[in-house]
Amino acid sequence: MNRWIQGVVLSIALLSFPGLAWAQQGAITGTVTEAETGDVLPGATVQVVGSGSGAATDGQGQYQISGVPAGEQTIRVSFVGYQASERTVEVADGETVRADFRLQTAQAQLEEVVVTGFGREQTRGEANVSVSQIDASELTETTEYENVTDLLQGRTSGVTVTRSSGNVGAGLRFNVRGGVSLNSDGQPLIFVDGTRITQDPAPGFDVGGQPTGSPLADLDPSNIASINVLKGPAATSLYGTDGTDGVVLIETKSGERDQDLQVEYQGTLGVATKQSDYNDDIYPTAGRLNDIHRQGNIQGHRVAISGAGDITTYNLSYSHRDTESIFPTGEGQRNNVSANVEARPTESLTISSRSTLAFNYYDRPLADNNIFGVLGALALDAPFGRFTERDSAAAFAVEDRQRVRKFQQSVELSYRPEAIPGLRLRAQGGADISARRNDQTWPSQYEDIYTSSDGERNALDSDRRRFNADLTATYDYDLTSSLSATTTAGTQLFTESDRQVNATASQIGTDLITDISAGTQLDFIGENLSNERSAGIIGRQQLEFRGRYSLELSVRRDWSTRLVAGETDSFKEWYPAARASAQIGDFEVIPDAVSRLNVRASWGQSGSLPDLVDGEFLRLQGQASGFGSGATIGNIGDPDLGLERVNEVEGGFDLGINNRYSLSFTYYRQNTNNSIVNFDPALSTGFGNQSAPRNVGEIFSQGIETSLDVTALRTEQYTLSFNANYSYREREVRELGGQSIFGGFQRNVIREDLAPFSFFGRRVEGARFDDAGEYLGPAVSDERVELGNPVPDHFGGFGLSATLFENLRVNAQAEYQLGHQTYSNTARFLALRGGHAQRRELQAALDELETGTDRYRAVANDLARTNPGAGIGEIDNFLQDADFLKLRSVGVRYDASQLIGRFAGTDQLRSFTVGFSASNLFTITGYDQGPDPEVNSEGSRGLIRGQDFLTLQNPREYTFTLEVGI
């Protein structure tokens, strides 16, 4: 079988490049030096593009490549910290041609190409807005990542990304800058290869508080090339209404021009374990809780084929990953097939196609706010000991499985007509189509434990379709010898539709039958269908003076099919923006050590639309009853309702020093007006059980973002670089028309004069005593007050990347978040049930003390701070600072291809890499009321945030990889 595979690969290579096998040969030699100083550069990599042959320069900066096919060849030279250089030479049979290179130093991170909005590419040092870019292909060369989230955590200033639980494929929540929109879901717009994908959790059955996972969890991180994050209306106004909360642009890997055929295999084995133990000072059953977690197995395989023909490049891959949850019955299996092909039939026409097909499976355990969750039963089974093995077996027997079929397709045509130099026409279309099946089964053998009757079956089918099309024309031209211009005009179209059907049947009678139609009692059946379309036209004018000063003005006109005033008309809105930058690094007053200095300023507007029918005065809905079918009031709205508008001003600079240091600083200020807030109508209207929307909200936010990249060491065999970023944000709700918007359980609130999502309740001030000094209970404030906030004020990350002995690579990244709190509803419920270990010890100690003594009063005050309270409870007692520092990822890879090649006497082995990776390796935090300060019991959407209620912690993972490339 192996010989057959080798034969096929060899045949493809010979058929694709027949001229290489019998070509006449020559040699290339030369010297590589630094352009500014003339110093030689030992260890530079010299390659003959497309042939797979090359060499490294010696101690004198010289190189020689033998066996080069005769004819025209392209030579490429690269070296860490320098800009790569290419040139074409003519190689004659039996002769040696000389090609010397002088490399220019790179401007540290300021030479990275970033996307600054609607397809415009600039280097970081020239950009007029702040953009965070992740070089995913470089990161995945060193470190193994489970999820797209792992690539972003700790690396993007102004942005935090968290998983709501430890379930495989769990939901993701982005917090981008201030997050000042009340009427959006707070999540950024996401494009993968130009295809707009849904970022909302798919429909499905809850397993406690966790909805279905994030669509981003369906992506293979190893297939991603880069991620660009645009963070505010100043950068995203061209994306219209949907770009209010930022835009994430993901690009997958593609083939390279003149690349020889390359085949790569990567195998992964690993384990997932819990990060932390439960605190036995609080949980009497901590031992059982810790033991119920398991060591989940991780296994993955990936095969990729890439290369280039005369007019095409291609990258084809298949990946499979099977990850067991750290909790029994949880598992995820991801299968991705991708095909990226680009063709250039002429110099002026480029056609590209990028496709991804996913077949994924997720099994989720019952957890969070769920009376049948094993984690909750064990945590709260104190001091009673009533949770039996049969109870455990019944909880584990509940099956919740999701099957995902997803197809993403992007097609792009780019044409530069030779008759009109400077003109580029671009058409791009994308499709994101997914079908998801969710089955949930409650076996009949445990009907005495479940609330279901003699077995229950739930089934849900959902179909989600997203289509987008972009058409743009860009024209570059010179107005004078010093002034150049670029004019862009285009349109963007988008349509989305969701359809779901679900049913519940019971009294199935036997576990041998899993067909829902076998249930003799139909408990529920439902269907939902929605469709929405939007369109926008854009105009952008850019001016650049002497290659130093840049000014950009843009506007977008948006349409949406969301109803206006009960008509079939649509919302229409303008979104303007202005941006400017100046390259002043070479001014005489600037020190010579400054290699680049770019100052920038920008302003932009965006907004959020009302809900689909909020502009209708009255909408009825069908309702079945025991008296037949009829209509009830489904929604009341405001015909004069407008959209929420967000204004942002941003300014900052990008500084390069000595070609080794790059520093970026950004200040932003956001104001949101006309946010939509629901009010209760007067009872006399007859709509007393409904709510009506109004434009009254106003929110303010400001913050700073900084990032620093340092190249500390750069030699022939060693490199060492560091990265760090820090962000601060300040948010305040300034107007809500006197309303307060509460999340479930009334613990998180959006309220005037507070930061959004603040924890809100009565403050526990200590103990109350009677006249004799006897403890009466906790003393609490008369009014509810702000107690904390689940969103960190200060956050960032730092990391390092190193190369040792040329072939050993090391990468590590840490993340920190400060100034926020997490509420442990788990600990409160334990106290309610009389099982809170610390509270029981304090109560026992208080009973032994003499009333009225100082010691009695001290213990009583401590006891008061463990009181669970009634109703919504004493939030203050179970709210704890959740500041943390986490070592997010560590990766070590060693490439032994040269060593093996020397022993085997072959140069066909392109890479033979072994590696080790770890994630969430350790956490430093003062939060001890639960094992993980990052989880959220109600998932990754909604107003409830920072609440831990029997939620599965995020895992720690260890993986070993083997990668072989030919």
Side-chain angles (χ1 to χ4, degrees):
M1 186 67 175
N2 290 334
R3 291 182 178 178
W4 182 85
I5 294 174
Q6 293 173 357
V8 170
V9 173
L10 181 59
S11 299
I12 293 174
L14 293 178
L15 288 172
S16 300
F17 306 99
L20 297 182
W22 298 278
Q24 296 174 317
Q25 298 178 338
I28 304 174
T29 188
T31 303
V32 180
T33 58
E34 186 178 84
E36 296 180 7
T37 65
D39 295 340
V40 297
L41 294 176
T45 300
V46 186
Q47 296 174 305
V48 181
V49 177
S51 72
S53 60
T57 56
D58 59 20
Q60 286 72 47
Q62 299 177 356
Y63 72 93
Q64 181 166 342
I65 307 173
S66 303
V68 180
E72 188 177 272
Q73 300 292 344
T74 299
I75 311 302
R76 186 176 191 274
V77 179
S78 60
F79 191 65
V80 177
Y82 292 83
Q83 300 177 36
S85 178
E86 288 187 2
R87 61 181 295 188
T88 301
V89 297
E90 188 71 30
V91 179
D93 179 32
E95 296 186 5
T96 299
V97 62
R98 187 171 186 83
D100 295 330
F101 290 84
R102 303 175 68 220
L103 299 188
Q104 299 284 344
T105 54
Q107 306 292 324
Q109 301 298 313
L110 299 183
E111 294 298 331
E112 291 179 346
V113 175
V114 295
V115 180
T116 57
F118 215 80
R120 176 164 168 74
E121 294 184 348
Q122 295 176 292
T123 65
R124 185 185 301 277
E126 298 171 338
N128 46 32
V129 292
S130 173
V131 181
S132 290
Q133 190 207 47
I134 305 297
D135 188 344
S137 59
E138 180 178 343
L139 293 174
T140 53
E141 285 182 2
T142 306
T143 308
E144 180 76 8
Y145 296 96
E146 168 71 29
N147 196 292
V148 176
T149 315
D150 303 333
L151 293 168
L152 294 165
Q153 289 178 323
R155 292 185 173 89
T156 47
S157 62
V159 181
T160 58
V161 189
T162 56
R163 283 188 277 187
S164 59
S165 83
N167 288 340
V168 181
L172 310 179
R173 187 193 292 275
F174 287 79
N175 281 311
V176 182
R177 286 193 168 169
V180 293
S181 173
L182 282 185
N183 306 129
S184 71
D185 63 2
Q187 302 307 290
L189 190 63
I190 299 176
F191 289 87
V192 177
D193 293 326
T195 296
R196 177 173 167 177
I197 71 170
T198 179
Q199 68 268 45
D200 298 326
F205 302 114
D206 284 355
V207 286
Q210 300 296 330
T212 56
S214 167
L216 281 179
D218 296 326
L219 299 179
D220 176 13
S222 298
N223 197 43
I224 296 176
S226 65
I227 303 174
N228 286 271
V229 183
L230 312 180
K231 292 174 282 193
T236 65
S237 61
L238 282 178
Y239 292 90
T241 298
D242 299 313
T244 299
D245 299 299
V247 177
V248 177
L249 306 172
I250 300 174
E251 184 177 350
T252 58
K253 293 179 179 178
S254 59
E256 298 180 4
R257 297 185 67 183
D258 300 318
Q259 176 185 324
D260 202 354
L261 174 68
Q262 295 182 357
V263 181
E264 179 181 283
Y265 166 78
Q266 178 178 299
T268 301
L269 288 174
V271 295
T273 66
K274 64 180 184 299
Q275 287 191 59
S276 304
D277 287 336
Y278 279 81
N279 185 352
D280 57 11
D281 289 336
I282 296 175
Y283 299 94
T285 58
R288 296 172 66 191
L289 281 167
N290 296 327
D291 292 342
I292 198 65
H293 292 78
R294 69 178 178 182
Q295 180 175 283
N297 294 319
I298 300 172
Q299 182 177 352
H301 304 275
R302 183 174 185 271
V303 179
I305 301 174
S306 61
D310 292 338
I311 63 171
T312 61
T313 63
Y314 55 89
N315 186 295
L316 315 174
S317 68
Y318 166 74
S319 65
H320 164 85
R321 188 179 181 97
D322 195 334
T323 303
E324 289 183 341
S325 170
I326 58 174
F327 199 76
T329 72
E331 186 174 359
Q333 186 181 108
R334 187 177 64 214
N335 298 275
N336 286 118
V337 179
S338 68
N340 293 351
V341 181
E342 181 178 293
R344 185 169 292 187
T346 69
E347 287 297 321
S348 57
L349 177 63
T350 302
I351 305 171
S352 66
S353 170
R354 296 172 180 245
S355 309
T356 299
L357 187 61
F359 299 88
N360 301 335
Y361 304 87
Y362 300 102
D363 293 330
R364 300 180 300 160
L366 300 181
D368 301 282
N369 188 12
N370 191 313
I371 62 174
F372 298 110
V374 176
L375 196 64
L378 284 176
L380 304 180
D381 185 39
F384 309 108
R386 296 175 180 174
F387 187 65
T388 66
E389 290 186 9
R390 178 171 169 77
D391 294 327
S392 176
F396 285 140
V398 178
E399 180 182 280
D400 183 280
R401 164 159 282 207
Q402 297 180 38
R403 291 172 290 175
V404 182
R405 303 292 183 268
K406 177 178 289 189
F407 176 66
Q408 291 176 1
Q409 174 68 58
S410 172
V411 177
E412 180 178 341
L413 286 79
S414 177
Y415 179 58
R416 299 177 182 269
E418 297 180 1
I420 310 177
L423 178 64
R424 181 193 178 199
L425 304 176
R426 175 180 170 272
Q428 191 274 331
D432 176 29
I433 303 172
S434 65
R436 184 179 295 256
R437 170 73 177 221
N438 190 182
D439 291 293
Q440 194 175 87
T441 304
W442 300 73
S444 62
Q445 62 177 306
Y446 298 108
E447 65 171 326
D448 58 317
I449 297 176
Y450 305 144
T451 55
S452 60
S453 175
D454 199 17
E456 181 180 295
R457 175 81 164 170
N458 301 275
L460 180 147
D461 281 310
S462 70
D463 180 270
R464 312 178 85 182
R465 298 169 183 262
R466 307 286 188 270
F467 299 96
N468 66 282
D470 300 342
L471 303 172
T472 57
T474 303
Y475 184 47
D476 298 316
Y477 53 98
D478 293 329
L479 296 174
T480 69
S481 59
S482 301
L483 182 64
S484 61
T486 300
T487 302
T488 301
T491 184
Q492 192 173 64
L493 310 173
F494 177 67
T495 179
E496 59 180 320
S497 62
D498 293 325
R499 183 187 182 95
Q500 72 179 67
V501 180
N502 61 298
T504 299
S506 59
Q507 294 185 359
I508 296 177
T510 173
D511 297 337
L512 300 177
I513 300 176
T514 58
D515 189 344
I516 192 172
S517 63
T520 59
Q521 178 173 312
L522 180 63
D523 300 303
F524 177 82
I525 187 168
E527 180 181 25
N528 291 307
L529 174 65
S530 67
N531 177 260
E532 186 175 347
R533 297 176 296 277
S534 61
I537 59 173
I538 67 161
R540 178 170 61 194
Q541 181 63 53
Q542 300 158 241
L543 299 172
E544 189 172 284
F545 182 63
R546 293 182 177 177
R548 182 190 300 275
Y549 306 101
S550 173
L551 174 66
E552 179 180 320
L553 303 173
S554 67
V555 67
R556 174 174 173 128
R557 175 68 160 169
D558 250 6
W559 287 265
S560 171
T561 56
R562 298 196 182 187
L563 302 181
V564 177
E567 304 173 1
T568 56
D569 198 2
S570 60
F571 271 96
K572 308 178 186 69
E573 196 56 54
W574 294 97
Y575 296 116
R579 310 178 185 95
S581 64
Q583 308 287 325
I584 61 174
D586 57 355
F587 280 17
E588 292 184 2
V589 296
I590 303 297
D592 293 339
V594 174
S595 48
R596 177 172 295 233
L597 178 57
N598 174 51
V599 294
R600 46 185 166 75
S602 55
W603 164 81
Q605 287 189 350
S606 186
S608 292
L609 295 176
D611 285 339
L612 187 60
V613 294
D614 274 356
E616 285 187 313
F617 173 69
L618 178 65
R619 173 167 284 254
L620 302 178
Q621 66 182 13
Q623 181 70 50
S625 72
F627 300 97
S629 297
T632 60
I633 297 174
N635 188 80
I636 61 172
D638 181 357
D640 298 322
L641 198 66
L643 84 165
E644 176 188 67
R645 183 170 290 276
V646 182
N647 282 271
E648 181 181 64
V649 176
E650 174 189 301
F653 64 84
D654 305 290
L655 173 67
I657 300 176
N658 289 333
N659 299 313
R660 289 181 177 270
Y661 308 90
S662 64
L663 172 66
S664 293
F665 174 87
T666 301
Y667 168 78
Y668 66 87
R669 185 182 183 94
Q670 297 176 333
N671 285 280
T672 302
N673 297 289
N674 288 330
S675 292
I676 300 170
V677 180
N678 289 325
F679 286 77
D680 295 330
L683 295 177
S684 60
T685 64
F687 301 130
N689 61 340
Q690 301 288 326
S691 60
R694 299 181 193 171
N695 290 112
V696 298
E698 180 183 345
I699 306 177
F700 167 79
S701 174
Q702 64 179 350
I704 61 171
E705 300 164 357
T706 62
S707 64
L708 174 68
D709 294 276
V710 179
T711 302
L713 180 65
R714 186 177 59 217
T715 67
E716 179 181 353
Q717 291 189 319
Y718 305 95
T719 64
L720 178 62
S721 60
F722 299 94
N723 72 82
N725 67 84
Y726 164 76
S727 300
Y728 167 76
R729 57 186 161 207
E730 174 186 322
R731 303 162 301 131
E732 182 185 7
V733 178
R734 293 186 168 176
E735 179 63 50
L736 279 182
Q739 294 283 87
S740 293
I741 305 172
F742 286 95
F745 306 110
Q746 294 196 0
R747 296 186 183 110
N748 296 104
V749 69
I750 298 177
R751 183 181 175 90
E752 292 173 356
D753 301 323
L754 302 182
F757 318 114
S758 291
F759 290 109
F760 192 66
R762 289 181 170 83
R763 187 175 302 283
V764 177
E765 298 170 343
R768 289 187 299 113
F769 302 93
D770 63 14
D771 293 339
E774 186 172 353
Y775 172 63
L776 296 178
V780 298
S781 59
D782 294 333
E783 301 292 334
R784 299 177 72 180
V785 297
E786 181 185 17
L787 300 174
N789 195 280
V791 181
D793 297 325
H794 308 266
F795 56 95
F798 53 88
L800 65 85
S801 179
T803 303
L804 308 173
F805 310 110
E806 297 186 51
N807 298 320
L808 180 64
R809 302 182 64 181
V810 179
N811 184 283
Q813 189 71 31
E815 181 181 18
Y816 61 89
Q817 295 183 13
L818 307 172
H820 66 299
Q821 290 75 37
T822 293
Y823 174 76
S824 177
N825 205 20
T826 311
R828 177 185 175 251
F829 258 72
L830 187 60
L832 274 175
R833 290 176 56 85
H836 194 289
Q838 184 183 19
R839 179 170 175 78
R840 288 167 60 86
E841 290 176 3
L842 288 169
Q843 183 65 63
L846 190 69
D847 293 341
E848 297 295 326
L849 294 172
E850 181 181 351
T851 302
T853 64
D854 290 344
R855 177 60 180 162
Y856 180 92
R857 297 181 67 87
V859 172
N861 278 304
D862 290 340
L863 180 62
R865 298 191 181 281
T866 64
N867 186 70
I872 63 173
E874 311 295 6
I875 302 173
D876 196 21
N877 282 344
F878 303 96
L879 190 66
Q880 192 174 25
D881 287 343
D883 300 347
F884 68 80
L885 169 64
K886 284 196 175 189
L887 183 56
R888 286 294 189 189
S889 63
V890 173
V892 181
R893 295 282 176 100
Y894 177 71
D895 187 354
S897 57
Q898 294 182 1
L899 181 64
I900 295 175
R902 285 198 296 267
F903 278 105
T906 178
D907 58 358
Q908 299 302 309
L909 193 63
R910 185 173 54 86
S911 65
F912 189 96
T913 303
V914 292
F916 167 77
S917 298
S919 64
N920 294 325
L921 201 54
F922 72 80
T923 302
I924 300 174
T925 181
Y927 179 77
D928 63 3
Q929 299 206 47
D932 189 352
E934 290 190 278
V935 296
N936 185 48
S937 60
E938 296 300 311
S940 57
R941 296 295 185 274
L943 204 155
I944 296 178
R945 302 193 183 188
Q947 296 193 33
D948 177 5
F949 191 19
L950 309 169
T951 308
L952 183 63
Q953 62 180 286
N954 283 293
R956 174 181 298 144
E957 295 183 351
Y958 304 93
T959 56
F960 294 89
T961 58
L962 171 65
E963 182 180 306
V964 180
I966 58 175

